Amino acid sequence: MLSLRGYVEMRFAVALFLVLGAAFARSQEVPEYRLPTTFKPISYRLDVTTHLENKFTFEGVVDIKITCLKATNTVVLHSNNLNIDTKGVAVSDGGGKVVPVTGVGFVTKTELMHVKCAEKFKPGNEYVLTVPFMGNITDDLVGYYRSSYVDKETNQTRWLAVTQFEPADARRAFPCFDEPALKATFKIRLGRRKHLTSVSNMRLLKSTPMPSNPDYVIDEFEESVPMSTYLVAYMVSDFAYVESKNPEEEVKFRIVARKDAIGQTELAKNAGPLVLKYYEDYFDEKFPLSKQDMVAIPDFSAGAMENWGLVTYRETALLIDPNVATIDNIHRVAEVIAHELAHQWFGNLVTMKWWTDLWLNEGFATYVAARGVDYLYPEWNSFQLENVQNFLQVLDLDSLQSSHPVSVTVGHPDEIAQIFDTISYTKGSFLLHMMNTFLGEETFKQGIRNYIDKHKFSNAEQDDLWSSLTEEAHKEGSLDPNITVKEIMDTWTLQTGYPVLKVVRDYAAGSVTLKQERFLTIQPNSTDKKSCWWIPLTWTTSSVADFSQTKAESWLNCNTKNYTIPLEIDDEWVIFNMQIAGLYRVSYDTRNWMGIITLLNNPDEFETIPTLNRVQLIDDAFSFSQIGELDYGITFQLLKYLKHEKEYVPWLAALGGLGPINQLMKRTPNQGLFQNYMQRLLANLYKRFGNMTVELDGFEEIRFKNLVIAQACRHKIKDCTEQALALFKQWMKTNDPDTNNILPRELKTIIYCQAIKAGGAEEWDFLWERYQRSNVGSEKAKLLSSLGCSSETWLLNRYLNWTIGENAIIRKQDAITVFYSIASSDIGYYVAKDFLYRKIADISEYFQPRGDRVGRYVKVIGSQMKTKEELEELNTFISKSSAYLKGADLTINQTIETVKINTGWTSKFYHKIINHMV
């Protein structure tokens, strides 16, 4: 972590230049859960034999070649939940001489293994550590775990074993130096039953019979490039594969899946090689492996994992059935493929030194993935949409006091899992977009290329990135030679939150004075004078109305408290942040707002303000009203212009801004008034999109219709509900409803939910049967979510009970989806809350060792609370359940703050806001 005005660096205080030219930045006092800087791994030889049939165990031995960096008599490495044959642990020097082992010990709390020897190791010398091990193939979705599916032909359950090591679970599969900076090569051999197959990071070299067991085969793979342990991957299964057939491809590309789903691989088979080639050109760096497998796993905790050469996915994130897929399904698969393949450079080739800079992996992969999807589908305009969605999402979450910096100090493995969140992914991505805008595309791209070339097969931290970008920017003259990227970007990555630009106009003098402060949804007792950002300034006025200049004209920086610019005296309005190129809100006075609103409410001139700036104006108005800095009357005056707004993203922002108000009106006496307001607001749009059976073309048009229909049915526009129920009843009467799903494919989720909400056990059982029979992951996900829409409490309770415990029917990966869908409805909220309160111990046990998952349950319930009594109730529950919420601290703190925000809003605005909706 890098310093910013006294921000104490906790992880990498001193750079230790180590033997053989390898440098590892580590603190002087190594925390107990970190490895000492006494050894560096060079290579692993890893042998693992997998037993799946009813046994679910694995056994193996690892030989780790290590270099001694400091004199010591003890090797310390990681091991967690493994059975180690301590008598078989051995150490030898480079010449094969045995170094006697005097003791092997384990520290469960820190997941460390100590191998103590009779002699001291000599700095600069190489040794080989040999450790035999055994373990259970669990259903925890981490480490080396098991997954299953039912073979459609035989109706038998098939088992597979697959790895998931990020962030710190390789140590659950084999003893290792399980930190990202400790890269090494891996030579992997996998023992498996003859009728199964195995895959790993590298190409298969050969398969030979296992001498000790004629029913088993040993698969030997090429030695890997240097990589971190969290990227090691292997799988044993009976899966099939399809291969890309383009003879010009230098990289062998395969899509691997259960054989019943192999027909759903066409999109991935075509998109994968195209995106990989696009990245090779963009980064000017060849993909360093000879093959790339992408595997669809039936049970998978995350969306996907970027293991080098063997990327693993949820089925919904890789497979597409063209007969049922929606455009959102296609976009999702393309986006995840592009994200994981971007990691092959950002994360795999160049890896962060420690999890503090996780955003270098995830922010970059998110940003570059948007470019990758744009390359695959240029007609979608998805890159702009991605940036809009990122902008809105970050401004919401990052306005909490309990948010965290992009580059965040983390230590214990429990903390690491919690930062795989919106800040690391989405804020990281938008900040890269902002940098690209103020540096320029060519400078930004070349700076990235230089960074990759300099640090490939090694590790880096964000200062290394700043250095490469600064050097290129100064070379090309795209940044003032007196300014560095570090000076600018440290203010965005090392502190929490983002700024609001305060625009103070002197109309008589014709000037604007600019100030900044941190935007917080809960207003602090005193102004936050410590936070300060380098804000790229762009603006235009009513007399010029030129929104095309998105590159910073000047900066409001940390050395300037007030910044004044001249304006024409008769200018009606000024607008800052052209095309939302910067991550900040803008606060105007009432006169300026009214000038903007007058223009927007003119149907012939409102498009003078371009789409993206209309998005920011809508979102800013809602946010300033929420904290009491802008009268809600002004915000609702602005919303009146929507009657002639025809673009998708401004409506997305408007309905997103009304969403929290809807949430706070739910289950209150004024819910009906808000519902009536929404029906009037949507009336014209519903006329445009209301016919459910009319199919549209175009990515944004389809999404626009989906948004409108979803809102119309949610707010009980009568025709919407009637259409949905009629179509569903018609479908129920068809012969073979699984093959003949007559519902409009883009609207199926909405129709399912409406029918289940209005229906009873007959409709529920019908849809449940469709879920059980479906062979398509994305379709099963829609059905699973929709079944939570029921208004029957007994059905909801039964459904929730199917999600946890030894006899769970729902896959573990989908349990939170079911809970979320139930908790989101008016009736389901109470059922889900009661389930959480009664079953917290069971939920916690079921999801071990990942406590962060339990936090999601609390967040879903807490985000809907809005009274002091509910806040007290939640605090009591959290206090009583603290033992079950370990590893979820960040989410719990954010949830409590959200309830406080909701409570404050309800007491201030609940009664006042109704006047603006009548």
Side-chain angles (χ1 to χ4, degrees):
M1 179 67 80
L2 306 167
S3 62
L4 175 65
R5 293 193 312 279
Y7 194 91
V8 180
E9 184 178 38
M10 295 182 65
R11 290 293 166 262
F12 304 115
V14 178
L16 299 175
F17 293 91
L18 304 178
V19 177
L20 304 179
F24 294 91
R26 302 292 298 274
S27 65
Q28 288 173 314
E29 293 183 11
V30 179
E32 61 178 356
Y33 42 79
R34 293 293 301 276
L35 294 173
T37 56
T38 49
F39 287 94
K40 177 198 171 194
I42 301 170
S43 64
Y44 291 75
R45 175 179 166 140
L46 176 62
D47 290 2
V48 181
T49 299
T50 300
H51 306 290
L52 280 173
E53 281 75 11
N54 301 319
K55 199 174 177 183
F56 302 126
T57 63
F58 61 91
E59 63 199 18
V61 61
V62 62
D63 297 320
I64 314 175
K65 184 184 285 187
I66 53 179
T67 298
C68 180
L69 304 172
K70 289 181 182 177
T72 179
N73 66 348
T74 304
V75 182
V76 183
L77 66 164
H78 288 105
S79 177
N80 187 11
N81 279 0
L82 293 171
N83 297 317
I84 306 294
D85 177 7
T86 56
K87 293 181 180 178
V89 175
V91 180
S92 62
D93 65 12
K97 178 189 171 186
V98 172
V99 180
V101 174
T102 58
V104 178
F106 302 89
V107 184
T108 304
K109 178 186 174 185
T110 56
E111 302 171 357
L112 295 177
M113 172 181 174
H114 296 253
V115 180
K116 192 171 183 179
C117 294
E119 304 171 9
K120 273 203 169 185
F121 299 99
K122 296 179 181 178
N125 285 7
E126 292 182 0
Y127 300 86
V128 175
L129 170 65
T130 300
V131 186
F133 58 89
M134 297 176 63
N136 294 318
I137 304 173
T138 69
D139 63 354
D140 294 338
L141 306 184
V142 295
Y144 194 32
Y145 73 92
R146 66 180 183 262
S147 176
S148 67
Y149 69 96
V150 176
D151 186 297
K152 294 291 181 184
E153 188 177 322
T154 65
N155 203 35
Q156 291 183 329
T157 298
R158 305 292 189 193
W159 293 95
L160 60 137
V162 66
T163 57
Q164 171 56 40
F165 290 162
E166 189 181 35
D169 290 311
R171 64 193 70 175
R172 291 177 177 273
F174 60 98
C176 56
F177 294 82
D178 199 14
E179 294 185 359
L182 299 176
K183 288 189 172 184
T185 59
F186 288 80
K187 179 76 172 175
I188 294 174
R189 300 197 312 168
L190 300 176
R192 43 87 182 172
R193 290 289 293 265
K194 281 182 177 178
H195 69 282
L196 302 174
T197 58
S198 71
V199 287
S200 187
N201 302 89
M202 307 301 290
R203 275 184 190 256
L204 177 67
L205 285 178
K206 61 181 179 180
S207 299
T208 55
M210 184 180 288
S212 60
N213 192 330
D215 292 330
Y216 278 68
V217 169
I218 298 173
D219 293 332
E220 184 174 342
F221 297 88
E222 288 177 341
E223 187 170 33
S224 76
V225 295
M227 61 183 182
S228 305
T229 47
Y230 79 87
L231 294 169
V232 174
Y234 42 89
M235 179 180 76
V236 173
S237 72
D238 67 348
F239 280 5
Y241 70 85
V242 294
E243 188 175 335
S244 255
K245 297 297 183 183
N246 187 347
E248 296 180 6
E249 291 169 10
E250 298 177 20
V251 179
K252 183 179 179 182
F253 228 102
R254 300 189 306 179
I255 314 301
V256 186
R258 53 190 173 84
K259 63 178 183 290
D260 294 325
I262 206 67
Q264 302 171 30
T265 57
E266 193 68 16
L267 174 63
K269 185 179 77 171
N270 295 327
L274 287 173
V275 172
L276 199 77
K277 181 66 171 67
Y278 170 74
Y279 290 154
E280 285 184 328
D281 295 339
Y282 186 84
F283 295 127
D284 194 26
E285 182 70 45
K286 285 287 187 182
F287 180 68
L289 307 186
S290 60
K291 70 95 174 175
Q292 177 64 71
D293 292 335
M294 304 201 297
V295 187
I297 310 296
D299 298 277
F300 198 80
S301 176
M305 177 60 209
E306 66 268 19
N307 316 296
W308 232 353
L310 181 61
V311 182
T312 47
Y313 297 80
R314 273 196 190 205
E315 288 194 349
T316 53
L318 185 66
L319 303 180
I320 283 290
D321 183 339
N323 296 315
V324 300
T326 65
I327 200 156
D328 271 343
N329 295 147
I330 294 168
H331 178 264
R332 169 68 175 160
V333 168
E335 180 182 47
V336 179
I337 289 172
H339 181 101
E340 303 311 322
L341 293 182
H343 272 309
Q344 308 304 303
W345 285 265
F346 262 93
N348 299 13
L349 187 62
V350 181
T351 312
M352 74 261 144
K353 289 182 179 177
W354 182 243
W355 299 101
T356 289
D357 286 322
L358 172 70
W359 84 273
L360 288 177
N361 284 17
E362 300 302 348
F364 252 102
T366 304
Y367 173 73
V368 177
R371 304 189 75 120
V373 173
D374 198 51
Y375 170 75
L376 290 173
Y377 302 100
E379 70 279 8
W380 282 1
N381 194 32
S382 62
F383 185 67
Q384 174 178 290
L385 180 57
E386 175 87 5
N387 283 317
V388 168
Q389 291 174 321
N390 289 349
F391 181 76
L392 297 175
Q393 191 178 6
V394 172
L395 291 181
D396 183 30
L397 177 61
D398 213 24
S399 64
L400 298 179
Q401 191 85 51
S402 53
S403 184
H404 64 81
V406 171
S407 184
V408 56
T409 301
V410 291
H412 193 275
D414 283 350
E415 299 172 21
I416 299 168
Q418 296 187 65
I419 63 167
F420 284 79
D421 65 357
T422 298
I423 300 301
S424 297
Y425 285 71
T426 312
K427 185 177 181 181
S429 174
F430 195 86
L431 291 180
L432 292 166
H433 171 65
M434 186 172 82
M435 265 200 297
N436 181 292
T437 305
F438 71 70
L439 290 175
E441 167 67 16
E442 290 308 312
T443 296
F444 179 81
K445 183 164 66 174
Q446 190 57 50
I448 298 303
R449 289 174 170 180
N450 297 343
Y451 167 82
I452 289 175
D453 185 60
K454 184 175 181 179
H455 300 285
K456 59 187 176 184
F457 299 112
S458 187
N459 298 78
E461 52 195 1
Q462 71 172 19
D463 265 17
D464 298 313
L465 178 62
W466 302 159
S467 177
S468 291
L469 288 168
T470 299
E471 186 177 341
E472 187 63 26
H474 288 168
K475 176 184 170 185
E476 295 299 322
S478 54
L479 189 66
D480 187 307
N482 297 313
I483 301 174
T484 65
V485 172
K486 175 179 170 58
E487 188 175 11
I488 297 168
M489 293 307 300
D490 274 3
T491 68
W492 294 94
T493 62
L494 296 185
Q495 61 183 344
T496 306
Y498 60 86
V500 52
L501 182 69
K502 298 268 188 178
V503 178
V504 181
R505 293 190 64 176
D506 185 332
Y507 289 92
S511 66
V512 168
T513 299
L514 304 175
K515 304 175 183 177
Q516 64 163 295
E517 62 185 52
R518 181 180 173 189
F519 182 87
L520 287 165
T521 308
I522 293 182
Q523 292 297 284
N525 295 327
S526 59
T527 304
D528 180 358
K529 295 180 180 178
K530 295 180 182 178
S531 298
C532 166
W533 291 263
W534 275 66
I535 303 177
L537 297 176
T538 54
W539 67 89
T540 193
T541 64
S542 54
S543 60
V544 178
D546 178 7
F547 290 82
S548 62
Q549 178 58 40
T550 57
K551 187 164 181 170
E553 297 177 46
S554 54
W555 298 82
L556 181 61
N557 60 44
C558 300
N559 304 318
T560 309
K561 290 185 178 179
N562 297 323
Y563 184 88
T564 302
I565 57 174
L567 287 185
E568 296 292 332
I569 291 179
D570 60 351
D571 273 335
E572 295 177 13
W573 49 259
V574 60
I575 293 176
F576 281 81
N577 200 15
M578 302 298 89
Q579 310 283 354
I580 57 174
L583 187 65
Y584 56 94
R585 296 198 182 283
V586 188
S587 171
Y588 304 107
D589 60 44
T590 300
R591 179 173 167 182
N592 198 81
W593 272 113
M594 294 312 297
I596 292 168
I597 290 169
T598 299
L599 176 65
L600 287 175
N601 277 287
N602 184 330
D604 299 320
E605 296 184 8
F606 77 99
E607 290 177 312
T608 300
I609 301 173
T611 306
L612 297 186
N613 280 98
R614 300 203 296 273
V615 166
Q616 174 156 27
L617 289 166
I618 292 167
D619 191 63
D620 281 353
F622 273 116
S623 298
F624 291 127
S625 291
Q626 182 186 10
I627 64 175
E629 287 197 0
L630 183 68
D631 191 281
Y632 264 113
I634 294 175
T635 297
F636 280 90
Q637 284 276 359
L638 186 153
L639 293 182
K640 288 180 179 178
Y641 106 89
L642 290 171
K643 60 182 175 287
H644 46 256
E645 176 59 80
K646 297 179 177 62
E647 295 291 325
Y648 170 54
V649 287
W651 272 102
L652 184 69
L655 294 171
L658 288 163
I661 299 175
N662 174 47
Q663 192 83 289
L664 295 167
M665 291 290 174
K666 281 170 70 173
R667 304 185 303 278
T668 74
N670 284 325
Q671 184 171 353
L673 286 171
F674 181 77
Q675 187 172 287
N676 291 337
Y677 170 78
M678 291 300 296
Q679 290 176 357
R680 295 194 305 273
L681 184 71
L682 293 164
N684 285 338
L685 271 186
Y686 188 71
K687 288 177 185 175
R688 174 178 164 188
F689 290 119
N691 189 333
M692 291 187 180
T693 58
V694 173
E695 294 188 3
L696 300 177
D697 293 321
F699 184 62
E700 285 196 55
E701 273 292 281
I702 291 171
R703 278 200 160 185
F704 202 175
K705 179 171 182 172
N706 292 351
L707 177 68
V708 172
I709 297 295
Q711 290 283 335
C713 281
R714 182 174 296 130
H715 296 292
K716 299 187 177 352
I717 289 181
K718 187 178 179 182
D719 177 70
C720 188
T721 306
E722 288 176 348
Q723 281 194 75
L725 297 183
L727 285 165
F728 192 85
K729 285 178 181 177
Q730 188 181 343
W731 179 41
M732 286 182 72
K733 293 175 183 177
T734 60
N735 292 324
D736 191 6
D738 298 302
T739 305
N740 302 315
N741 191 329
I742 62 167
L743 304 182
R745 72 167 68 189
E746 299 292 346
L747 301 174
K748 281 190 291 189
T749 306
I750 301 166
I751 295 170
Y752 292 162
C753 186
Q754 288 299 308
I756 295 300
K757 185 184 294 183
E762 183 184 2
E763 288 79 7
W764 203 98
D765 290 341
F766 173 80
L767 211 63
W768 174 249
E769 187 176 355
R770 306 286 73 75
Y771 170 78
Q772 290 178 302
R773 289 174 177 268
S774 177
N775 184 42
V776 180
S778 59
E779 185 66 14
K780 290 176 83 74
K782 294 183 184 75
L783 294 162
L784 201 69
S785 179
S786 301
L787 286 163
C789 296
S790 177
S791 301
E792 297 280 357
T793 56
W794 71 271
L795 283 172
L796 296 178
N797 271 308
R798 183 181 71 177
Y799 198 23
L800 285 169
N801 282 319
W802 287 355
T803 63
I804 62 168
E806 290 183 5
N807 299 316
I809 297 173
I810 306 300
R811 291 185 186 273
K812 186 176 287 191
Q813 66 175 18
D814 298 322
I816 186 63
T817 300
V818 171
F819 186 83
Y820 180 85
S821 67
I822 291 173
S824 298
S825 72
D826 291 356
I827 293 171
Y829 167 78
Y830 295 106
V831 177
K833 183 172 73 167
D834 176 65
F835 179 81
L836 173 64
Y837 287 2
R838 286 188 296 107
K839 299 275 192 176
I840 182 61
D842 297 331
I843 294 169
S844 177
E845 182 182 358
Y846 189 59
F847 285 109
Q848 287 304 313
R850 291 291 299 273
D852 59 304
R853 294 178 194 157
V854 185
R856 298 179 200 172
Y857 280 71
V858 181
K859 181 178 181 179
V860 171
I861 296 299
S863 64
Q864 300 182 67
M865 293 179 165
K866 50 195 172 248
T867 66
K868 291 179 180 178
E869 293 76 15
E870 286 175 317
L871 176 59
E872 187 176 330
E873 170 194 312
L874 182 66
N875 279 324
T876 301
F877 166 71
I878 290 170
S879 178
K880 287 181 178 178
S881 308
S882 58
Y884 308 118
L885 298 173
K886 290 177 181 176
D889 313 68
L890 182 62
T891 302
I892 296 300
N893 290 337
Q894 290 175 348
T895 301
I896 292 171
E897 187 175 351
T898 299
V899 181
K900 289 178 180 177
I901 290 167
N902 293 349
T903 302
W905 186 93
T906 301
S907 64
K908 287 180 185 176
F909 300 116
Y910 172 73
H911 294 291
K912 294 180 182 178
I913 200 170
I914 294 303
N915 298 327
H916 303 297
M917 297 181 185
V918 177

